[in-house]
Amino acid sequence: MQMRSAPSYFSKQIGFHQRYRIDPVNSIYRKNFCRPKSTAEAKVLAAKKHSESERRRRMRINSQYTALRKILPNLIKMDKASVLAETVRQVRELKKVVADTEAACRGSGSECVIPSGVNKLSLEKCEGKQEGLVKATFSCEDRPGLILDMIRELRSGKGRVVRAEMVTVGGRTKSVLWVKGLGAGSEGIVCLKKALNKVIVDRPSII
Amino acid sequence: MQMRSAPSYFSKQIGFHQRYRIDPVNSIYRKNFCRPKSTAEAKVLAAKKHSESERRRRMRINSQYTALRKILPNLIKMDKASVLAETVRQVRELKKVVADTEAACRGSGSECVIPSGVNKLSLEKCEGKQEGLVKATFSCEDRPGLILDMIRELRSGKGRVVRAEMVTVGGRTKSVLWVKGLGAGSEGIVCLKKALNKVIVDRPSII
DNA sequence: CTTCACACGTGATAC
DNA sequence: TGTATCACGTGTGAA
């Protein structure tokens, strides 16, 4: 009849029997060592505790509803179901806006645009007169100490950063570093790649 | 002006009595003009309708919960309160992402050229829709720890850097920072200016 | 009077 | 064991 997550009905019956079955050992123990402060009294006490706990739970949930009502624009109906429905709608919309922006910026030719939603690292030799100039691009989760880690790793190698661009948006960071002095061979680049990979830690993206 | 069906109850017991008490006037009326399907019967019918309506409402709300559980990544706890709390958090974050994205895109023309030979610091409010976006530009001697000092000073204020460009040439550095969240007044900007000035002048060059 | 939305207390149940 | 969450039916006021 109803679509429930079905913790099965027959187990209800079992619960019932278990609750009222007689456990002789336990009964004797209680008679002798516990103050049988009338069962009724104990029950009403437990009930009171239970109902108060439930009230706290309701308050916790409801406070989140009021938070949602505050931060969501264009709320017409304020009842719970409508608030949740509108929340779902706006979350989907916001995600789409972010994704579209990222996509649009990616093809725009500008070097440092919007951080990617997934962790990335790429290195590229710059052609032309700039001998030994390498461009390193990476996106990752922002965190306190990210730049410090980056600096430490960069110092461990032999290149030097002559230019840098960073964009941080919503906890994601994209950086572009131009590095000189890595040497002629590929050894320096491999080293730099390893170093930067250490900086990027794998955390799940929000988007 | 409307007819209240009953004054408020003082306890469940009263409610129970109220259900089965006899109201002579009402009884006579019903006997004569209504189908005399006993009051009790009518009430149990109404109760059933009520409870089913309530179940539909619960289902409506719960279906939105399952929707939220699906579209929200990084959900650790799945209970209602946690889902709502995480929803609030992520909605706030997404809104910030969208706002910062616009700010970062605005500053995506390359601003950073060659560091000046003398120490400089200038702050500038960005016009347009980007309320509270401030561009900070400064040149100074490069040194080990410059960025660390900068980060420390930036953390002491309340703004957040959404975009940064740095160029280092021959021991001189030029940086451009786009900062959001400084507040409406000039207080935040003054604070930022003081902080960055410390970075520029405080430390004597190591070399 | 009906409908709707909400809060409440309670029993079942999961850990 | 106690301590959570959850669904349920009900009382109640507002539209």
Side-chain angles (χ1 to χ4, degrees), chain B residues 108-124:
Chain B
S108 71
S110 194
E111 296 281 348
C112 227
V113 281
I114 302 298
S116 165
V118 295
N119 290 358
K120 281 185 185 175
L121 169 62
S122 71
L123 287 98
E124 176 193 342

PDB file of all heavy atoms in Angstrom, chain B residues 108-124:
ATOM      1  N   SER B 108      39.920  39.297 -15.327  1.00  0.00           N
ATOM      2  CA  SER B 108      40.707  38.314 -16.056  1.00  0.00           C
ATOM      3  C   SER B 108      41.552  38.907 -17.171  1.00  0.00           C
ATOM      4  O   SER B 108      42.336  38.212 -17.782  1.00  0.00           O
ATOM      5  CB  SER B 108      39.796  37.235 -16.622  1.00  0.00           C
ATOM      6  OG  SER B 108      39.038  37.779 -17.677  1.00  0.00           O
ATOM      7  N   GLY B 109      41.372  40.189 -17.454  1.00  0.00           N
ATOM      8  CA  GLY B 109      42.325  40.814 -18.366  1.00  0.00           C
ATOM      9  C   GLY B 109      43.667  40.864 -17.655  1.00  0.00           C
ATOM     10  O   GLY B 109      43.715  41.073 -16.458  1.00  0.00           O
ATOM     11  N   SER B 110      44.738  40.651 -18.379  1.00  0.00           N
ATOM     12  CA  SER B 110      46.006  40.551 -17.673  1.00  0.00           C
ATOM     13  C   SER B 110      46.457  41.915 -17.164  1.00  0.00           C
ATOM     14  O   SER B 110      46.655  42.850 -17.916  1.00  0.00           O
ATOM     15  CB  SER B 110      47.077  39.985 -18.617  1.00  0.00           C
ATOM     16  OG  SER B 110      48.179  39.599 -17.861  1.00  0.00           O
ATOM     17  N   GLU B 111      46.562  42.022 -15.863  1.00  0.00           N
ATOM     18  CA  GLU B 111      46.893  43.294 -15.237  1.00  0.00           C
ATOM     19  C   GLU B 111      48.380  43.402 -14.934  1.00  0.00           C
ATOM     20  O   GLU B 111      48.935  44.470 -14.794  1.00  0.00           O
ATOM     21  CB  GLU B 111      46.121  43.447 -13.923  1.00  0.00           C
ATOM     22  CG  GLU B 111      44.634  43.498 -14.109  1.00  0.00           C
ATOM     23  CD  GLU B 111      44.180  44.873 -14.562  1.00  0.00           C
ATOM     24  OE1 GLU B 111      45.008  45.798 -14.505  1.00  0.00           O
ATOM     25  OE2 GLU B 111      43.031  45.007 -14.978  1.00  0.00           O
ATOM     26  N   CYS B 112      48.979  42.259 -14.776  1.00  0.00           N
ATOM     27  CA  CYS B 112      50.292  42.198 -14.188  1.00  0.00           C
ATOM     28  C   CYS B 112      51.369  42.321 -15.257  1.00  0.00           C
ATOM     29  O   CYS B 112      51.435  41.521 -16.166  1.00  0.00           O
ATOM     30  CB  CYS B 112      50.456  40.859 -13.495  1.00  0.00           C
ATOM     31  SG  CYS B 112      51.136  41.005 -11.882  1.00  0.00           S
ATOM     32  N   VAL B 113      52.178  43.330 -15.121  1.00  0.00           N
ATOM     33  CA  VAL B 113      53.233  43.485 -16.115  1.00  0.00           C
ATOM     34  C   VAL B 113      54.603  43.385 -15.453  1.00  0.00           C
ATOM     35  O   VAL B 113      54.964  42.353 -14.924  1.00  0.00           O
ATOM     36  CB  VAL B 113      53.046  44.797 -16.886  1.00  0.00           C
ATOM     37  CG1 VAL B 113      51.970  44.619 -17.936  1.00  0.00           C
ATOM     38  CG2 VAL B 113      52.706  45.937 -15.956  1.00  0.00           C
ATOM     39  N   ILE B 114      55.329  44.458 -15.487  1.00  0.00           N
ATOM     40  CA  ILE B 114      56.676  44.405 -14.926  1.00  0.00           C
ATOM     41  C   ILE B 114      56.719  45.116 -13.582  1.00  0.00           C
ATOM     42  O   ILE B 114      56.140  46.196 -13.440  1.00  0.00           O
ATOM     43  CB  ILE B 114      57.670  45.097 -15.881  1.00  0.00           C
ATOM     44  CG1 ILE B 114      57.601  44.417 -17.238  1.00  0.00           C
ATOM     45  CG2 ILE B 114      59.081  45.062 -15.320  1.00  0.00           C
ATOM     46  CD1 ILE B 114      57.987  42.971 -17.197  1.00  0.00           C
ATOM     47  N   PRO B 115      57.358  44.518 -12.607  1.00  0.00           N
ATOM     48  CA  PRO B 115      57.435  45.147 -11.291  1.00  0.00           C
ATOM     49  C   PRO B 115      58.117  46.504 -11.375  1.00  0.00           C
ATOM     50  O   PRO B 115      59.067  46.694 -12.132  1.00  0.00           O
ATOM     51  CB  PRO B 115      58.309  44.184 -10.482  1.00  0.00           C
ATOM     52  CG  PRO B 115      58.214  42.890 -11.189  1.00  0.00           C
ATOM     53  CD  PRO B 115      58.015  43.211 -12.629  1.00  0.00           C
ATOM     54  N   SER B 116      57.617  47.423 -10.586  1.00  0.00           N
ATOM     55  CA  SER B 116      58.230  48.740 -10.531  1.00  0.00           C
ATOM     56  C   SER B 116      59.540  48.668  -9.750  1.00  0.00           C
ATOM     57  O   SER B 116      59.731  47.785  -8.910  1.00  0.00           O
ATOM     58  CB  SER B 116      57.284  49.715  -9.856  1.00  0.00           C
ATOM     59  OG  SER B 116      57.963  50.883  -9.487  1.00  0.00           O
ATOM     60  N   GLY B 117      60.420  49.599 -10.042  1.00  0.00           N
ATOM     61  CA  GLY B 117      61.692  49.635  -9.331  1.00  0.00           C
ATOM     62  C   GLY B 117      61.579  50.211  -7.941  1.00  0.00           C
ATOM     63  O   GLY B 117      62.468  50.021  -7.111  1.00  0.00           O
ATOM     64  N   VAL B 118      60.508  50.912  -7.656  1.00  0.00           N
ATOM     65  CA  VAL B 118      60.335  51.471  -6.310  1.00  0.00           C
ATOM     66  C   VAL B 118      59.118  50.827  -5.655  1.00  0.00           C
ATOM     67  O   VAL B 118      58.222  50.329  -6.334  1.00  0.00           O
ATOM     68  CB  VAL B 118      60.139  52.997  -6.364  1.00  0.00           C
ATOM     69  CG1 VAL B 118      61.400  53.674  -6.897  1.00  0.00           C
ATOM     70  CG2 VAL B 118      58.946  53.353  -7.231  1.00  0.00           C
ATOM     71  N   ASN B 119      59.146  50.844  -4.331  1.00  0.00           N
ATOM     72  CA  ASN B 119      58.023  50.227  -3.618  1.00  0.00           C
ATOM     73  C   ASN B 119      56.752  51.047  -3.798  1.00  0.00           C
ATOM     74  O   ASN B 119      56.762  52.261  -3.665  1.00  0.00           O
ATOM     75  CB  ASN B 119      58.362  50.122  -2.131  1.00  0.00           C
ATOM     76  CG  ASN B 119      59.439  49.080  -1.882  1.00  0.00           C
ATOM     77  OD1 ASN B 119      59.897  48.425  -2.819  1.00  0.00           O
ATOM     78  ND2 ASN B 119      59.840  48.930  -0.640  1.00  0.00           N
ATOM     79  N   LYS B 120      55.664  50.343  -4.065  1.00  0.00           N
ATOM     80  CA  LYS B 120      54.387  51.012  -4.325  1.00  0.00           C
ATOM     81  C   LYS B 120      53.263  50.203  -3.723  1.00  0.00           C
ATOM     82  O   LYS B 120      53.347  48.975  -3.604  1.00  0.00           O
ATOM     83  CB  LYS B 120      54.144  51.100  -5.833  1.00  0.00           C
ATOM     84  CG  LYS B 120      54.887  52.201  -6.550  1.00  0.00           C
ATOM     85  CD  LYS B 120      54.430  52.215  -8.005  1.00  0.00           C
ATOM     86  CE  LYS B 120      55.231  53.232  -8.802  1.00  0.00           C
ATOM     87  NZ  LYS B 120      54.883  53.160 -10.226  1.00  0.00           N
ATOM     88  N   LEU B 121      52.216  50.874  -3.395  1.00  0.00           N
ATOM     89  CA  LEU B 121      50.997  50.181  -2.970  1.00  0.00           C
ATOM     90  C   LEU B 121      49.795  51.038  -3.328  1.00  0.00           C
ATOM     91  O   LEU B 121      49.739  52.219  -2.989  1.00  0.00           O
ATOM     92  CB  LEU B 121      51.001  49.934  -1.452  1.00  0.00           C
ATOM     93  CG  LEU B 121      49.667  49.459  -0.862  1.00  0.00           C
ATOM     94  CD1 LEU B 121      49.254  48.120  -1.446  1.00  0.00           C
ATOM     95  CD2 LEU B 121      49.759  49.351   0.660  1.00  0.00           C
ATOM     96  N   SER B 122      48.853  50.446  -4.037  1.00  0.00           N
ATOM     97  CA  SER B 122      47.632  51.198  -4.335  1.00  0.00           C
ATOM     98  C   SER B 122      46.428  50.270  -4.250  1.00  0.00           C
ATOM     99  O   SER B 122      46.507  49.093  -4.610  1.00  0.00           O
ATOM    100  CB  SER B 122      47.722  51.809  -5.729  1.00  0.00           C
ATOM    101  OG  SER B 122      47.634  50.790  -6.704  1.00  0.00           O
ATOM    102  N   LEU B 123      45.335  50.822  -3.744  1.00  0.00           N
ATOM    103  CA  LEU B 123      44.089  50.051  -3.681  1.00  0.00           C
ATOM    104  C   LEU B 123      43.028  50.785  -4.468  1.00  0.00           C
ATOM    105  O   LEU B 123      42.980  52.013  -4.481  1.00  0.00           O
ATOM    106  CB  LEU B 123      43.633  49.869  -2.232  1.00  0.00           C
ATOM    107  CG  LEU B 123      44.482  48.885  -1.442  1.00  0.00           C
ATOM    108  CD1 LEU B 123      45.507  49.611  -0.604  1.00  0.00           C
ATOM    109  CD2 LEU B 123      43.613  47.983  -0.600  1.00  0.00           C
ATOM    110  N   GLU B 124      42.156  49.991  -5.060  1.00  0.00           N
ATOM    111  CA  GLU B 124      41.183  50.579  -5.970  1.00  0.00           C
ATOM    112  C   GLU B 124      39.897  49.771  -5.907  1.00  0.00           C
ATOM    113  O   GLU B 124      39.924  48.544  -6.000  1.00  0.00           O
ATOM    114  CB  GLU B 124      41.767  50.523  -7.395  1.00  0.00           C
ATOM    115  CG  GLU B 124      40.855  50.998  -8.482  1.00  0.00           C
ATOM    116  CD  GLU B 124      41.406  50.596  -9.848  1.00  0.00           C
ATOM    117  OE1 GLU B 124      42.617  50.284  -9.922  1.00  0.00           O
ATOM    118  OE2 GLU B 124      40.643  50.577 -10.806  1.00  0.00           O
TER     119      GLU B 124
END
